[in-house]
Structures are given as structure tokens and as C-alpha cells.
């Protein structure tokens, strides 16, 4: 870790206030601009033809009947795409160069149900749908691989011949000395298997793209709701043989993203090819069924052969396990998930000895993509499951075991076994607060009272971390040759011709309120009201400012985005003051900015409004010294770069993330013994994301992450049958949490400022999947010791009922304790 | 499916208080008609099965999901969409204002539908409890807010300043019930 960033000179009149959002008026009045609200002149409507099989050879694709339908403009097949493009860039080919060959459309083999194999373009949505039905595809079904662990077996059917097996990436993570810990621990907890399930935050707005490949200029204008377009450009540009300079990415309002909307870059690419072929703009709005089958799912992870060395008092020394991530049929953003979990190796705890034998496999399922809490929450759920089982099996108090193992307030900045630096926090206090919020003592009494009533009470705790602003250098752990490291964001602050203040961001938010928070910090620097600052909405590559990392993902706006704003606005302020000081004929330190005027300090009469400053620079520049007139632009760009170094790829060691917000959740649930149904009686959250720029927005993010986590814990899952058919292709079968499923969520907070971010703010918003940890713990608590353990992150009534009614032999409970004194 | 060849029908109806008379394709869904033919942006599309509620509109005084009706069924009906809420002046109405104050929306994609369901509730039940609010909007999926601030916003609109206090009180009662 390099030295903390220098102190900022901002005052904080507006920063820290719960201002209502700038975005809201237009959204409430339906004046937002989502992709489906837009269109291009002469556009046609695209429809994908998708594989009904999870795995099948594509023997032939016949588009003749579709093309004959009146109103059809063009079609595109996988073979055509193969002829005009290269396979997509892969992050981590094997040492011998073998890798997954993926094209922008299915070629030769369809590898998951819903994979696109052809496209049609027609004058209307209806004709496009009819025409897609007329495309005749001949398939020859192939064996289907749906189990992410079995996929790694040597005899598993191989999805990608070019890869040779189904292993997308494999590596051993080994920190501390696990053998020593296992030898010297008082007890070893052995857990057979834990499984984190597949689900998605399923934004209500599905993916959507309007693209025009202009035949005259060769420019490709993409209006979409992709949330990380720069990443998309970097991947599809080389495949399509076009420069990133040809892409103009535009997004305005986005109807939820949660990471899932990073995934649409392949669709963008192939729709662009269709536009070029047709010579017309192409509009595509994904249907809900398509979104569930092919829009992207969160990672599913299986943990096997877990061994946990523990001391008699509950001090955990570490763990050893094998982990398998199921990436689905293609690697979209993956295998980055194979290292991203290592931002939070010990979770919130201090243990030092960890060994993870990690494998990521390919299966005949929808590609896994980042989903709120990406890759870390799977691991954090695992860690919380382990700590809870340690407490249960050693008959210790789960609160005390947590407190004993937590990183303590005085330990910060705390370096984890793999070199990550936890910046700040106060976990014991957060735990005390959250327990008070659920009336822990009262809940325990209720639990005792309800015994024997047929309704069992369970109390669960989930402590988790939201690591924000990641160091892309961690991708080199996958592949040392990768030219990625660091992170950052850009902002341009400017005065327009009449002195109006404008900000242009590199981000493209999906409801996180960037227009509001950016204007709050800018307002403090410029001494004016946020209302008078225009933040350009959305993102447009042709006029927004950006770097390769620009986008809205990975809990980082409060750090990267806001620091870019601060840097740009500070530069603008300096220029305004320089021009004003020249006009006043005073030193620059004699000038202050107040309510849109530059004034001589102590003399409010001597004021030049910003319009006057803008006039001198933009339209009256003979009044300025020539050197100043050419240098001062009142258009000030700043790129914030967090202080990162390259990790040691051999040891898989280094600081992978700048900030760590903490979330401490607690729940009281009631479990119906007859049905296994779980009802949440009380739910509370203590969030600590350092300095909060807009507490109301922060709380909204806490609610949202909690709501999605509760849904995932109890209602939401993507399940495939043995033929690889998705059983939850729409909201009828995918039970997205409703207002009846999510209880009132009580929130409170601690502010432990980050020493590394200048402002003290930390990234937040993903929430670390805490409700999954919490509800698993609460169900475990309701079931009690001696029964089967909660080994899955998803617990519908049937699964809970089975656990309640489990009466197998003790050694099949899923957990055993071996004491080292017992000669183990 | 949306539009395309096939039979058509002439329809007349009232949309947000103004008469509309058009020819509609018999196979076109009402949501597509409102959006693609009449250019409305309020009703949104979020699913293909009638489960997300983003397309919720008022149809003869009752809320319906406009993806579950055909355009031709609009014939003779009175239909209101979220566009009817803000007055002629363009000012947010009380309900919308309460959503703004209480951060009842994030991405805003579900919001049009949520507002229509909330309006329908408040027309029938001036002082709903939090539980009644949750019931009333359970057909509207929101993935951003965890519903907490949506409930608060509707409560705020119904109960004025007491709205927030009500939510707080419910919180406490809930806690009490647990400790009882
Ligand atoms: S679009 Fe989802 S209910 Fe109508
Ligand atoms: S505000 Fe985004 S879905 Fe409700």
C-alpha cells in the first residue's frame, strides 16, 4: 500500500446530505430515456433464433423461408459470422495456447439452451418473430454436462474441442501454512460439501440494443443498456476487426444492471454485423425468456472436502477446501471470478492459513457473468457458513466466536494473508448494534417460548464485506501476460459559454444517483448549490470522458467516480480563480467562489459572475494575456487513479481492492415444522461504508442489496434439468422477490472513514450477499445441532423440511469434528 | 406478437382523458399499442408472462397489466397511464413527490407500474397500513429498492407527515411482536 491520498480541501456543506435525487423528476414523469423508448430512422427489428437444445451439433441453418416472408430485411447465420470475424478474446488461454473459441453467434455447435444460432431483421417486431419461426435449423443432440464438478472429471464429455477439456482455469491458492494449522489445532471441523446456487438479480429491463453501422462513415453507433461498454469494446472490437474508435457507445437511463448487463457485448457485436449487412439500423429488445436463458447468470460455486482447524476457544486458524465454479458454456468476463473472490479471503476474520484448490469449469448452461456481489459473496457465504458451524459443533456462542475472530478496530489497516489491506471498520460495535436492533435477548426468549409449538425460531447473523475499487492487476494471477492493472475513472468539469457549470462523467449508472452525488461534491468545491450544476445524464462516448475502466460496476463510484469529479472540479476552480485574480489585479489567494461568483475575499461588492469568466475565456479573449488565453480552457479533465501496485502473481499476493465496506446483518426467522416454510420476523442491517456522500442513496443501496439477497436465499434459483433445460425461464417459474417476500429492513450505520480515498468514502452497493449468509445461519439456528447442516445457499421450504426431518446416521450430517488429542 | 400482417380493427377509447381513434392490428398487445403506436413511454415492458407489473395501467378504473390485454380490448375503455399523474403544469403530484422525497425509486424502470398500483390503492383505501401497501404492490417487481422506500413513499403520500412515523411505528411493533 502506498501512502494515503492527500487531504482534499473541500468544505462539506452539501456532501453528506440526503438530497432528493436530480434523476427522479424525469423518471417519475416517464420522461426517462430507456433504450426501448428510443429508435433510429429506418430501423428494423431483430429477433434471434435460439437453440432449444442445451448441446447439439448445428447441421444446417436454412433461412430461405424466412427471407421470403414479406417484410423481412435480412438474416444472419453463424457461418456468415464465422467467415467475417475472429473468435472472441479470452482472458486466460492454457499454457499451450488452447482456449475456448467463441464467435458472436453459435457456430457448428450450440452449447446451451437459448444460445443464438441465427438472426432475422424485419420491418416490425411481429414479422421478425414470425420470420424467426421460419428459420429451419437441423440439430443433432449431444451429451449434456450440467454439473460443474463432474465437468472436471477426465471422462466428462468435452464442450469445446479447442480447449481439450472442460477446465476454464485451475489454480492453487496457498497462504500461511495450512498443514501446520491442521496439525496444531485442537479440533478439525470437516465439512463434506457446501453449495452456492445459481441465480441472477434479473433487472426488470432486459438487455436492449439499437445499433447502426453507418456505411458512409464506418462508424458504429450503439445505443444500449450495457453497463460497462468500454469492456465490451475491448473484447468485440478485435473480433469484428474494427477499431474502438469506430464505436460510439451511448446509454441513457438503464433499468437496473447489477453486473448482469455487462454481458450484452456479444449481442451488440452480432447486431452490428447484422446492421452492416442490411445497411439499416437494428433494434433489439430482449424478451424475459431470452434474458433468463441467455442474458447471464450469477456464478454457482461448490466447495468440497472442507477442513477447518480450530482452537478449543473457537479461534479459527484457517481452512482448506476445493472450490468449483460453474462458468456455463462460454467465458463472458470469466474466468475473472476465479480470482475476484480472493479480495476477501478471510472474510471479516483474522485467520491466516488458507489453501484453496480452485477449478472453474464449462458446462451446458447459460454463461455466468458478474452479479451483484460477484465472486466475493460466494466465498463470504462459505466463510460465514464455516464460522457458524464452528460455533454450533463446538457448542460455542456464535456471537462470541465472531467477536473472537473478527479483525479488531485497532488492527486497521489490516493486511490479510494474501496481501489485501482492509482499510477501516468496527465490526464488534456493528454486531452489538445489529443485535440490539433485532432485540437479541427478546428473540432468544421467543425462541425458547416457541419450542414445541410447531413453529421454530431461528436467529442468524451475517457479517460480510463489500470490497470496492478493485485492482485489475489481479487478472494477471489468471494470466501473467494480461496487460491489465490498476483502476480509475474520468470526469470533465467545465463552464459553458454563459458560465454554466457542467460535469461529464465516465460512468453509466443504473439508478445509483450519480448525477446527484457528483453535483453535491462539486457544489462544495465551487461554493454553489447542486441545483445549479448540470451533470450530463447517461454516457455517450462521443462527448463523455472515459478511460478503459469507465462504467458502473464493482462498488466503486464513491471512490473512483467521486475522486475524478473532485479532481476535475478542483482544476476548474483553479482556472476560474486565475482568470478572476487577473481581472481583479489581486493574488489568487485573495479570490473565493460564492454562489456562482468569483469574489475578492472580504469584499462582496467586487464580484465577477461565472458568465463573466466564461466570456473572457470564450468570447472576449483579447482581454487576457495571450499565454493565459491559450492555456486556460475552463474544460478540465481529471483521471483519478487509485494507488495500486502489481500483485505478485506467483504467490497470488497483493492489494487487490482499495476499500472494504462492512455489512453486519441479523435476522429472526420462523420456520414452520410442517411445511418447512421460512418467514422473516425481523431483519436489521448495520452498514459501514465510511463517509457517506448522500446517506439516503446509500441506504437505498443497502435496501436493494438486502432485498435481492433475501430473494436469492429463499425464492430465487436457476435450475436445469438433466437435459440442460432451464426450469425458470420466466417470472412465473423464477420467483423474483415481491413486496410480500421482503420484510421491512431496519438500517443503521457506522462511519469508519477510509484512510486511502481522500474523502473517507468507500465503495458500496453490492452488499456482499449478506442476507444469504444471514438466512442460512438463521435456518441452521432453527434446525439446531444434531441434524443435517444447511449446506446450500438457497433454502426453499422443501429443502428446509428435509433438514428438519433428517434422521440419518450422524456421520452423514455433512459435518464432523475431529479432535487432535483423539489421535486424528 | 406485436404487430405485422393480419386482420385489423378500428378502435376508439379515452387515453389520459383525451379521445383516441385508431386502427389496431388484432394481434397487437395493448402495451405495444400504447408504446409503439401512441408513443407513450410510461408503461414499460419487463416480462412476457404478466408477472413484473412494469406495464400496469388503469383500465376503466381498475389496474391491469397492459401486456395481458390486446389493443383491440381498449375499444370503448378509459385508460390512464402514469403520464396522467403530473398535472398540466408538469408538476409532480403528491404521490410522485413522496417517491422523490423518500427515494422510492432507483433505476425508475418499475416506477410507472408501481405508481399506478399505488394510485389504485389510495383511491380505495386512503389510509392503508404497510401490510396493505405491500399487498397492493405485490404484482409489481422492483429489483432495486428492496421495496422499503416504496412502502415508505406510499405511506408518506397517504398519511402525510405521519407516513414516516407510521413506518417507524410499524418497525417497533414488529420488534415488539418478536419479543412478546
Ligand atoms: S410486461 Fe411484465 S407484467 Fe406486463
Ligand atoms: S427502481 Fe429499479 S426496478 Fe424498481
Amino acid at each position: 500500500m502506498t501512502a494515503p491520498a492527500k487531504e482534499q480541501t473541500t468544505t462539506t456543506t452539501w456532501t453528506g446530505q440526503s438530497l432528493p435525487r436530480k434523476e427522479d423528476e424525469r423518471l417519475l414523469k416517464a420522461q426517462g430515456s430507456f433504450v426501448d423508448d428510443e429508435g433510429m430512422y429506418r430501423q428494423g427489428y431483430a429477433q434471434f433464433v435460439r437453440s432449444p437444445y442445451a448441446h447439439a451439433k448445428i447441421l444446417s441453418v436454412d433461412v430461405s423461408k424466412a427471407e421470403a416472408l414479406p417484410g423481412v430485411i435480412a438474416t444472419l447465420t453463424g457461418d456468415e459470422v464465422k467467415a467475417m470475424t475472429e473468435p472472441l478474446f479470452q482472458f486466460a488461454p492454457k499454457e499451450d495456447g488452447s482456449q475456448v473459441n467463441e464467435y458472436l453467434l453459435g457456430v457448428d455447435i450450440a452449447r446451451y439452451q437459448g444460445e443464438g444460432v441465427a438472426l432475422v431483421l424485419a420491418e416490425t417486431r411481429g414479422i421478425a418473430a414470425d420470420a424467426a419461426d421460419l428459420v429451419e435449423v437441423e440439430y443433432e443432440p449431444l451429451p449434456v454436462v450440467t454439473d460443474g464438478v463432474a465437468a472436471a472429471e477426465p471422462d466428462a464429455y468435452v464442450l469445446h474441442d479447442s480447449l481439450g477439456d472442460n477446465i476454464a482455469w485451475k489454480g492453487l491458492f496457498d497462504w500461511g501454512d495450512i498443514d501446520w494449522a491442521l496439525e496444531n489445532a485442537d479440533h478439525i471441523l470437516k465439512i463434506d460439501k457446501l453449495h452456492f446456487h445459481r441465480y441472477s438479480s434479473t433487472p426488470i429491463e432486459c438487455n436492449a440494443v439499437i445499433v447502426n453501422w453507418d456505411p458512409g462513415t464506418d462508424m458504429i453507433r450503439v445505443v444500449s443498456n450495457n453497463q460497462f461498454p468500454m469492456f465490451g469494446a475491448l473484447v468485440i472490437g478485435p473480433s469484428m476487426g474494427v477499431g474502438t474508435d469506430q464505436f460510439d457507445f451511448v446509454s441513457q437511463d438503464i433499468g437496473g444492471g447489477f453486473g448482469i448487463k455487462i454481458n450484452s457485448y456479444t449481442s451488440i457485436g452480432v447486431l452490428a454485423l447484422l446492421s452492416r449487412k442490411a445497411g439499416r439500423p437494428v433494434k433489439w429488445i430482449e424478451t424475459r425468456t431470452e434474458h433468463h436463458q441467455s442474458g447471464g447468470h450469477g456464478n454457482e460455486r461448490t466447495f468440497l472436502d472442507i477442513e477447518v482447524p480450530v482452537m478449543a476457544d473457537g479461534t479459527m486458524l484457517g481452512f482448506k477446501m476445493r472450490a468449483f465454479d460453474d462458468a456455463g458454456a462460454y467465458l463472458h468476463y470469466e474466468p475473472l471470478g476465479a480470482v475476484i473472490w480472493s479480495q476477501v479471503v478471510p472474510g471479516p476474520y483474522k485467520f491466516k492459513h488458507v489453501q484453496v484448490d480452485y477449478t472453474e469449469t464449462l458446462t451446458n448452461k447459460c454463461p455466468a457473468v458478474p452479479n451483484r456481489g460477484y465472486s466475493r459473496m460466494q466465498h463470504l457465504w462459505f466463510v460465514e457458513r464455516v464460522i457458524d458451524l464452528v460455533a454450533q459443533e463446538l457448542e460455542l456462542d456464535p456471537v462470541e466466536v465472531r467477536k473472537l475472530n473478527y479483525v479488531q478496530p485497532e488492527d486497521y489497516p489490516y493486511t490479510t494473508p494474501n496481501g489485501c489491506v482492509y482499510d477501516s471498520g468496527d465490526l464488534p460495535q456493528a454486531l452489538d448494534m445489529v443485535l440490539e436492533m433485532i432485540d437479541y435477548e427478546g428473540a432468544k426468549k421467543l425462541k425458547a417460548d416457541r419450542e414445541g409449538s410447531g413453529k421454530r425460531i431461528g436467529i442468524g447473523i451475517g457479517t460480510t464485506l463489500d470490497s470496492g475499487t478493485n485492482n485489475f492487476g489481479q487478472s494477471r494471477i489468471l494470466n501473467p501476460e494480461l496487460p491489465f492493472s490498476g483502476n480509475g475513472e474520468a470526469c470533465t468539469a467545465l463552464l459553458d459559454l454563459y458560465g454554466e457549470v457542467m460535469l461529464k462523467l465516465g460512468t453509466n449508472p443504473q439508478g445509483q444517483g450519480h448525477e446527484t452525488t457528483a453535483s453535491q461534491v462539486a457544489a462544495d468545491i465551487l461554493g454553489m448549490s447542486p441545483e445549479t450544476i448540470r451533470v450530463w445524464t447517461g454516457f455517450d462516448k462521443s462527448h463523455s470522458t472515459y478511460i478503459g475502466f469507465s462504467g458502473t460496476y464493482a462498488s466503486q463510484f464513491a471512490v473512483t467516480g467521486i475522486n475524478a469529479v473532485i479532481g476535475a472540479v478542483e482544476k476548474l476552480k483553479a482556472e476560474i480563480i486565475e482568470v478572476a485574480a487577473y481581472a481583479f489585479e489581486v493574488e489568487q489567494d485573495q479570490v473565493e467562489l460564492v454562489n456562482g461568483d468569483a469574489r475578492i475575499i472580504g469584499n462582496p461588492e467586487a464580484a465577477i459572475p461565472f458568465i463573466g469568466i466564461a466570456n473572457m475565456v470564450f468570447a472576449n479573449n483579447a482581454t487576457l494575456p495571450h499565454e493565459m488565453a491559450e492555456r486556460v480552457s475552463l474544460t478540465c479533465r481529471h483521471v483519478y487513479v487509485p494507488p495500486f501496485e502489481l500483485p505478485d502473481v506467483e504467490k497470488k499476493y497483493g492489494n487487490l481492492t482499495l476499500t472494504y465496506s462492512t455489512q453486519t446483518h441479523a435476522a429472526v426467522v420462523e420456520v414452520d415444522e410442517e411445511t418447512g416454510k421460512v418467514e422473516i420476523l425481523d431483519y436489521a442491517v448495520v452498514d459501514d461504508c465510511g463517509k457517506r456522500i448522500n446517506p439516503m442513496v446509500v441506504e437505498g443501496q443497502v435496501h436493494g442489496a438486502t432485498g435481492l439477497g433475501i430473494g436469492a436465499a429463499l425464492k430465487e434459483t436457476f435450475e436445469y434439468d438433466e437435459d440442460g433445460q432451464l426450469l425458470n425461464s420466466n417470472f412465473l417459474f423464477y420467483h423474483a422477490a415481491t413486496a410480500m417476500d421482503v420484510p421491512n429492513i431496519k438500517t443503521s450505520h457506522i462511519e469508519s472513514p477510509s484512510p486511502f480515498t481522500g474523502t473517507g468514502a468507500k465503495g458500496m452497493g453490492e452488499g456482499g450477499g449478506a442476507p444469504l449468509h444471514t438466512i442460512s445461519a438463521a435456518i441452521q439456528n432453527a434446525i439446531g445441532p444434531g441434524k443435517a447442516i444447511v449446506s446450500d445457499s438457497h433454502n426453499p421450504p422443501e429443502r428446509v423440511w428435509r433438514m428438519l426431518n433428517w434422521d440419518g446416521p450422524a456421520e452423514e450430517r455433512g459435518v464432523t469434528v475431529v479432535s487432535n488429542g483423539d489421535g486424528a | 406478437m406485436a404487430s405485422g400482417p393480419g386482420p385489423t380493427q378500428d378502435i376508439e377509447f379515452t387515453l389520459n382523458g383525451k379521445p383516441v381513434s385508431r386502427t389496431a392490428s388484432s394481434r397487437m398487445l395493448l402495451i405495444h399499442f400504447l408504446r409503439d403506436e401512441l408513443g407513450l413511454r410510461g408503461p414499460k415492458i419487463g416480462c412476457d408472462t404478466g408477472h413484473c407489473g412494469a406495464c400496469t395501467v388503469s383500465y376503466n378504473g381498475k389496474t391491469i397489466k397492459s401486456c395481458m390485454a390486446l389493443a383491440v380490448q381498449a375499444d370503448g375503455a378509459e385508460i390512464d397511464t402514469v403520464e396522467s399523474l403530473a398535472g398540466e403544469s408538469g408538476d409532480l403530484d403528491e404521490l410522485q413527490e413522496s417517491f422523490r422525497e423518500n427515494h422510492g425509486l432507483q433505476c425508475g424502470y418499475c416506477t410507472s407500474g408501481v405508481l399506478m398500483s399505488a394510485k389504485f390503492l389510495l383511491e380505495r383505501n386512503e389510509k392503508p397500513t404497510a401490510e396493505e401497501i405491500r399487498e397492493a404492490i405485490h404484482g409489481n417487481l422492483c429489483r432495486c429498492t428492496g421495496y422499503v422506500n416504496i412502502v415508505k413513499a406510499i405511506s408518506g403520500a397517504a398519511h402525510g407527515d405521519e407516513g414516516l412515523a407510521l413506518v417507524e411505528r410499524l418497525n417497533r411493533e414488529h420488534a415488539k411482536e418478536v419479543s412478546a
Side-chain angles (χ1 to χ4, degrees), chain A residues 21 27 34 202-205 254-258 510-511, chain B residues 103-112 114 140-147 150:
Chain A
R21 299 190 317 164
L27 294 172
F34 297 90
T202 59
I204 301 297
E205 180 198 36
I254 298 180
F258 316 112
Q510 313 104 40
Chain B
H103 192 28
L105 64 156
Q106 289 182 28
C107 77
Y109 199 78
C110 69
T111 309
S112 305
V114 172
N140 295 89
L141 295 178
C142 173
R143 303 302 270 164
C144 298
T145 64
Y147 304 103
I150 292 180

Side-chain angles (χ1 to χ4, degrees), chain A residues 135-416:
Chain A
V135 174
E136 289 171 353
V137 187
E138 223 185 313
Y139 296 98
E140 182 186 308
L142 293 170
V144 172
V145 180
T146 56
D147 185 316
V149 177
E153 298 291 329
D155 59 347
Y157 192 89
V158 173
L159 269 73
H160 296 270
D161 283 341
S162 61
L163 190 65
D165 57 24
N166 294 326
I167 314 271
W169 192 81
K170 191 169 171 44
L172 184 72
F173 297 79
D174 198 1
W175 302 291
D177 186 346
I178 189 67
D179 292 332
W180 174 88
L182 288 167
E183 257 164 49
N184 289 282
D186 292 332
H187 310 287
I188 297 165
L189 205 72
K190 296 191 174 184
I191 306 168
D192 302 340
K193 177 181 177 179
L194 294 172
H195 174 250
F196 191 97
H197 74 296
R198 188 174 255 260
Y199 72 94
S200 156
S201 302
T202 59
I204 301 297
E205 180 198 36
C206 295
N207 289 307
V209 179
I210 311 171
V211 52
N212 184 34
W213 192 319
D214 187 290
T217 61
D218 227 11
M219 288 290 290
I220 306 164
R221 184 172 167 84
V222 181
V223 177
S224 80
N225 51 14
N226 186 287
Q227 70 185 92
F228 193 0
M230 294 307 116
F231 171 79
L234 289 170
V235 178
I236 62 176
S239 163
M240 297 164 68
V242 303
T244 52
D245 62 323
Q246 282 171 262
F247 283 112
D248 181 15
F249 278 101
V250 181
S251 57
Q252 284 286 306
D253 295 305
I254 298 180
F258 316 112
I260 299 290
K261 280 186 182 154
I262 294 174
N263 189 34
S264 61
Y265 59 90
T266 54
S267 305
I268 290 172
V270 73
L271 291 160
L273 297 175
L274 179 64
S275 169
R276 182 172 65 180
K277 183 177 176 191
R280 303 257 304 251
V282 167
K283 180 168 183 172
W284 172 68
I285 306 292
E286 185 184 50
T287 66
R288 175 55 53 189
T289 305
E290 287 179 295
H291 185 73
H292 283 209
Q293 290 181 349
S294 59
H297 296 170
N299 299 49
E300 174 183 0
R301 191 172 298 165
T302 308
F303 307 90
L304 295 179
D305 307 331
I306 303 146
E307 293 185 50
V308 188
V310 202
M311 302 312 284
D313 66 352
T315 302
M316 224 179 112
L317 302 183
F319 58 77
K320 176 181 180 176
M321 52 98 158
R322 296 194 293 143
F324 290 84
D325 251 47
D326 176 348
Y330 296 97
L331 301 174
H332 289 182
Y333 211 76
E334 292 298 326
L336 281 176
V339 291
I340 284 185
W341 63 270
S342 67
Q343 297 168 4
V344 292
V345 169
Y349 305 112
K350 287 215 302 195
F351 54 80
K352 301 247 182 267
H353 309 287
V354 174
Q355 191 187 83
V356 177
D357 180 359
Y358 179 96
T359 308
E360 183 163 313
T361 58
L362 291 142
T363 63
N364 294 114
K365 299 185 194 168
C366 175
V369 299
N371 177 41
R372 198 172 196 167
Y374 178 42
S375 185
R376 292 96 88 212
M377 71 174 160
Q378 287 81 350
H379 184 74
L380 290 160
W381 175 80
F382 163 84
V383 171
E384 281 297 86
R385 219 54 305 278
V386 165
I387 200 101
D388 240 14
L389 287 169
V390 163
Q392 173 176 294
E393 299 303 310
L394 300 184
E395 295 176 31
L396 299 168
D397 180 344
V399 174
E400 293 313 317
V401 170
R402 281 189 170 79
K403 284 190 176 171
L404 181 70
N405 286 285
Y406 275 156
V407 174
Q408 300 297 319
E410 62 275 15
D411 296 333
Y412 297 103
Y414 175 79
T415 303
T416 69

Side-chain angles (χ1 to χ4, degrees), chain A residues 204 288 731, chain B residues 31 43-56 64-69 109 139-141:
Chain A
I204 301 297
R288 175 55 53 189
F731 281 141
Chain B
I31 179 73
K44 303 285 187 214
I45 301 169
C47 71
D48 354 297
T49 53
H51 286 88
C52 77
C55 62
T56 304
I64 62 157
K65 288 170 173 167
S66 61
C67 70
M68 292 283 106
Y109 199 78
N140 295 89
L141 295 178

Side-chain angles (χ1 to χ4, degrees), chain B residues 126-173:
Chain B
E126 275 179 30
K127 304 275 171 205
T129 64
E131 236 7 73
E132 287 169 338
I133 293 171
R134 286 178 180 276
E135 283 253 19
I137 59 164
H138 89 277
N140 295 89
L141 295 178
C142 173
R143 303 302 270 164
C144 298
T145 64
Y147 304 103
V148 178
N149 286 345
I150 292 180
V151 174
K152 199 164 154 186
I154 298 170
S155 246
H159 301 266
D161 286 343
E162 300 156 45
L164 308 186
L166 178 91
V167 173
E168 291 306 314
R169 200 162 63 239
L170 285 167
N171 262 346
R172 281 199 304 277
E173 276 164 18

Side-chain angles (χ1 to χ4, degrees), chain A residues 22 69 129 174 391 486 619 687 729:
Chain A
K22 278 176 177 281
L69 188 74
D174 198 1
D687 182 79
S729 289

Side-chain angles (χ1 to χ4, degrees), chain A residues 29 37 289 681 716 737 742, chain B residues 35 48 90 134 143 147 174:
Chain A
K29 284 159 59 176
D37 298 330
T289 305
L681 301 181
E716 304 178 23
V742 182
Chain B
R35 291 185 55 85
D48 354 297
R134 286 178 180 276
R143 303 302 270 164
Y147 304 103
H174 207 65

